C-alpha cells in the first residue's frame, strides 16, 4: 500500500461528489505526511527576516522547501487530471523556471555573468541526470520497465542536442577567433543572433507540443482517478506555493555564501551543483512522484521540459536582457563546462531514444551525475 498517497485524515470526500473549496483545502493539506514539515515555512521566514546565522537560515529554508515542493507536485497533478499531462507538466516547469529567470536577471544587473552561466548549466545537468536518474530508478524498482511516448522522447533529444550546439558553436568560434576586442564583439553578436533563433525554436516547440502533436505528450487517462480539488483551487495553490518556494529559495541562496565560507566548499561546485539542486527542488519532487505512479509522460515532461525551457527560453532571454541593460552575457561558456554538458546530453539521448526505462538506466544517470559532481568539487575554479 502506498501510504504516501493516502490522506492523513482519511478520504476527504465521496468519489461521486464534486470537490468544494473546503474539501480541496482539506485534501491539499492532509494528502502527505510531508505536510507536517509545513510548520518550518513560517519558522524559516521569521529566522530569515530577523537575520539569523547563515547556517540556520540555510537549514530551515532547505527543510521548508521540501513540503512545498511536494505540494507543488500535488497541485500540478490535480491540474493535469483536468487539463491533461502536457499542460500540467508545462505549468510545473514554467513556475519552477520563473524563479531561475528572476534571479538570473537580478544577478545580471550586478554583473555576475559567471554566476548566471553556472546556474544555467547546473539546472540543465540536474534535470537531465539527477531528476531523470531518480525517476527511472525509483519508478523502475517495482516494474520491469516503464514506457513513454517515443515521439516526445525523440523531440526532446533533438532539442537538447540543439541546446548543446548553441553552446558549442560560440566555444568553437572563440577558439578560432582568439582573443581581442574584435573576437569578443563577434562572440557577443553571435550569442545575440543565436538567442533569437532559440526563442523562435521554443515557440515552434510549444506549437508542436500543445497544438499539432498533443496526443504524443499525454499520459493514458486513468478513468478511476478523479480530481480531488477544484480547478480554481489547484491554480491558486500552484501560484501561491510557487511564490513561497521562490521566497525560500531566495533566502537559501543568500545564505549559501556564508555556509560556503564556513564549510570551505568549492565555489564552482556551489554554483553548478548545489544552487540548482535546491533551486529546482519542486520539479525534482514532482517528477519522481509521477514516475513512482507510472505517469512517465508527465514525469518526462516535467524533467525535460524544465531543461528545454532553461536552454531554449531562459538562457536566450538572459542573453537578450544583458544586451538591453549593457551586460556582456554570452553563450560562450568555459570549455570544461561545455564538454561536460555535451557528454551528459549524449548519454541521456542514448537512454531515452527507445522510449523505455528501467532501474538500471536510472542508476547510470545517477552515476554520471556523481562523476560530474566530483569533477566540479575538485575543479580549481
Amino acid at each position: 500500500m502506498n501510504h504516501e498517497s493516502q490522506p492523513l485524515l482519511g478520504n476527504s470526500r465521496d468519489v461521486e461528489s464534486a470537490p468544494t473549496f473546503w474539501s480541496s483545502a482539506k485534501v491539499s493539506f492532509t494528502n502527505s505526511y510531508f505536510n507536517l514539515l509545513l510548520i518550518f515555512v513560517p519558522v524559516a521566514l521569521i529566522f530569515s527576516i530577523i537575520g539569523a546565522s547563515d547556517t540556520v537560515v540555510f537549514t530551515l529554508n532547505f527543510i521548508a522547501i521540501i513540503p512545498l515542493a511536494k505540494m507543488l507536485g500535488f497541485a500540478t497533478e490535480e491540474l493535469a487530471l483536468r487539463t491533461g499531462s502536457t499542460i500540467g507538466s508545462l505549468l510545473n516547469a514554467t513556475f519552477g523556471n520563473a524563479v531561475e529567470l528572476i534571479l538570473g536577471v537580478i544577478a545580471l544587473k550586478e554583473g555576475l555573468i559567471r554566476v548566471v552561466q553556472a546556474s544555467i548549466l547546473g539546472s540543465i545537468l540536474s534535470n537531465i541526470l539527477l531528476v531523470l536518474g531518480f525517476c527511472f530508478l525509483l519508478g523502475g524498482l517495482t516494474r520491469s520497465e516503464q514506457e513513454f511516448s517515443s515521439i516526445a522522447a525523440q523531440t526532446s533529444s533533438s532539442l537538447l542536442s540543439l541546446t548543446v550546439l548553441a553552446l558549442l558553436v560560440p566555444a568553437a568560434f572563440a577558439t578560432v577567433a582568439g582573443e581581442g576586442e574584435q573576437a569578443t564583439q563577434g562572440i557577443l553578436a553571435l550569442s545575440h543572433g543565436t538567442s533569437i533563433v532559440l526563442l523562435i525554436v521554443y515557440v515552434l516547440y510549444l506549437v508542436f507540443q500543445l497544438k499539432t502533436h498533443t496526443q504524443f505528450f499525454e499520459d493514458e487517462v486513468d478513468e478511476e482517478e478523479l480530481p480531488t480539488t477544484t480547478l480554481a483551487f489547484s491554480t491558486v495553490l500552484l501560484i501561491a506555493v510557487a511564490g513561497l518556494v521562490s521566497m525560500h529559495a531566495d533566502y537559501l541562496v543568500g545564505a549559501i555564501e556564508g555556509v560556503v565560507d564556513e564549510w570551505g566548499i568549492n565555489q564552482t561546485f556551489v554554483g553548478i551543483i548545489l544552487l540548482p539542486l535546491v533551486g529546482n527542488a519542486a520539479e525534482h519532487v514532482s517528477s519522481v512522484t509521477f514516475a513512482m505512479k507510472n505517469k512517465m509522460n508527465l514525469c518526462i515532461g516535467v524533467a525535460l521540459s524544465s531543461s528545454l525551457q532553461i536552454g531554449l527560453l531562459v538562457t536566450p532571454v538572459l542573453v537578450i536582457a544583458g544586451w538591453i541593460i549593457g551586460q556582456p552575457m554570452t553563450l560562450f561558456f568555459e570549455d570544461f563546462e561545455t564538454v561536460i554538458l555535451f557528454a551528459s546530453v549524449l548519454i541521456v539521448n542514448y537512454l531515452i531514444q527507445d522510449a523505455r526505462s528501467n532501474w538500471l538506466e536510472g542508476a547510470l544517470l545517477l552515476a554520471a551525475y556523481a562523476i560530474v559532481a566530483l569533477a566540479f568539487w575538485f575543479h580549481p575554479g
Side-chain angles (χ1 to χ4, degrees):
M1 179 182 294
N2 184 8
H3 295 287
E4 176 62 31
S5 62
Q6 296 298 320
L8 295 182
L9 304 180
N11 192 6
S12 61
R13 66 177 183 90
D14 186 272
V15 293
E16 300 295 332
S17 62
T20 64
F21 174 85
W22 295 112
S23 67
S24 300
K26 182 179 178 180
V27 74
S28 296
F29 286 97
T30 61
N31 72 90
S32 169
Y33 286 103
F34 277 109
N35 289 343
L36 295 173
L37 296 176
L38 287 172
I39 187 64
F40 284 93
V41 172
V43 172
L45 291 176
I46 291 173
F47 276 85
S48 299
I49 293 173
I50 65 176
S53 68
D54 288 330
T55 301
V56 172
V57 171
F58 178 87
T59 303
L60 289 177
N61 282 283
F62 186 85
I63 296 174
I65 284 177
I66 295 174
L68 290 175
K70 180 66 179 174
M71 188 170 286
L72 192 66
F74 171 77
T76 301
E77 187 175 9
E78 287 293 308
L79 280 175
L81 290 175
R82 295 181 179 275
T83 63
S85 62
T86 303
I87 294 180
S89 62
L90 185 62
L91 284 172
N92 187 286
T94 301
F95 276 102
N97 289 332
V99 178
E100 293 270 341
L101 183 59
I102 293 171
L103 294 178
V105 172
I106 294 174
L108 263 185
K109 288 183 178 179
E110 299 180 6
L112 303 175
I113 295 174
R114 284 295 299 143
V115 172
V116 175
Q117 290 180 328
S119 178
I120 288 171
L121 180 67
S123 294
I124 296 176
L125 289 175
S126 67
N127 277 301
I128 65 175
L129 295 180
L130 183 67
V131 179
L132 272 186
F134 273 119
C135 285
F136 290 173
L137 177 65
L138 298 180
L141 285 179
T142 57
R143 306 172 182 88
S144 59
E145 66 178 15
Q146 293 176 286
E147 298 181 2
F148 44 89
S149 169
S150 60
I151 299 294
Q154 292 168 6
T155 301
S156 298
S157 297
S158 301
L159 291 173
L160 282 174
S161 300
L162 179 64
T163 300
V164 174
L165 177 67
L167 300 182
L168 282 175
V169 171
F173 182 92
T175 301
V176 175
E179 299 180 356
E181 182 63 25
Q182 185 175 1
T184 301
Q185 291 301 317
I187 294 174
L188 199 57
L190 174 61
S191 298
H192 294 162
T194 303
S195 296
I196 294 174
V197 172
L198 291 179
L199 287 175
I200 294 173
V201 170
Y202 185 71
V203 172
L204 295 177
Y205 168 61
L206 288 182
V207 174
F208 182 85
Q209 183 185 34
L210 301 177
K211 184 72 174 177
T212 63
H213 292 72
T214 306
Q215 68 274 18
F216 296 118
F217 294 87
E218 292 285 352
D219 274 310
E220 293 185 5
V221 178
D222 186 352
E223 299 294 342
E224 297 182 357
E225 190 170 12
L226 300 174
T228 57
T229 64
T230 65
L231 178 60
F233 187 91
S234 299
T235 305
V236 172
L237 182 65
L238 186 67
I239 296 173
V241 173
L244 284 173
V245 169
S246 67
M247 290 176 62
H248 286 288
D250 192 24
Y251 283 124
L252 189 144
V253 168
I256 279 183
E257 185 174 353
V259 172
V260 166
D261 292 337
E262 183 177 343
W263 295 353
I265 305 175
N266 186 295
Q267 289 282 352
T268 306
F269 179 85
V270 172
I272 294 183
I273 302 298
L274 191 55
L275 283 182
L277 185 64
V278 297
N280 296 327
E283 297 99 301
H284 295 183
V285 175
S286 299
S287 297
V288 173
T289 300
F290 299 144
M292 294 177 70
K293 294 183 177 181
N294 203 30
K295 298 183 177 182
M296 290 306 293
N297 280 342
L298 189 53
C299 166
I300 297 293
V302 172
L304 293 187
S305 288
S306 183
S307 297
L308 294 176
Q309 274 195 350
I310 292 290
L312 300 177
L313 178 64
V314 174
T315 303
V317 165
L318 288 174
V319 171
I320 293 175
W323 188 7
I324 294 173
I325 65 179
Q327 292 289 349
M329 171 71 182
T330 70
L331 295 175
F332 174 44
F333 288 28
E334 295 294 328
D335 293 340
F336 177 68
E337 299 167 1
T338 305
V339 169
I340 283 183
L341 180 62
F342 173 77
S344 299
V345 170
L346 188 65
I347 189 173
V348 169
N349 285 350
Y350 276 132
L351 292 180
I352 69 174
Q353 64 182 356
D354 63 348
R356 298 173 184 269
S357 66
N358 54 62
W359 66 264
L360 179 59
E361 292 183 348
L364 294 177
L365 289 176
L366 292 177
Y369 190 76
I371 293 172
V372 170
L374 280 173
F376 284 112
W377 176 267
F378 293 108
H379 191 276

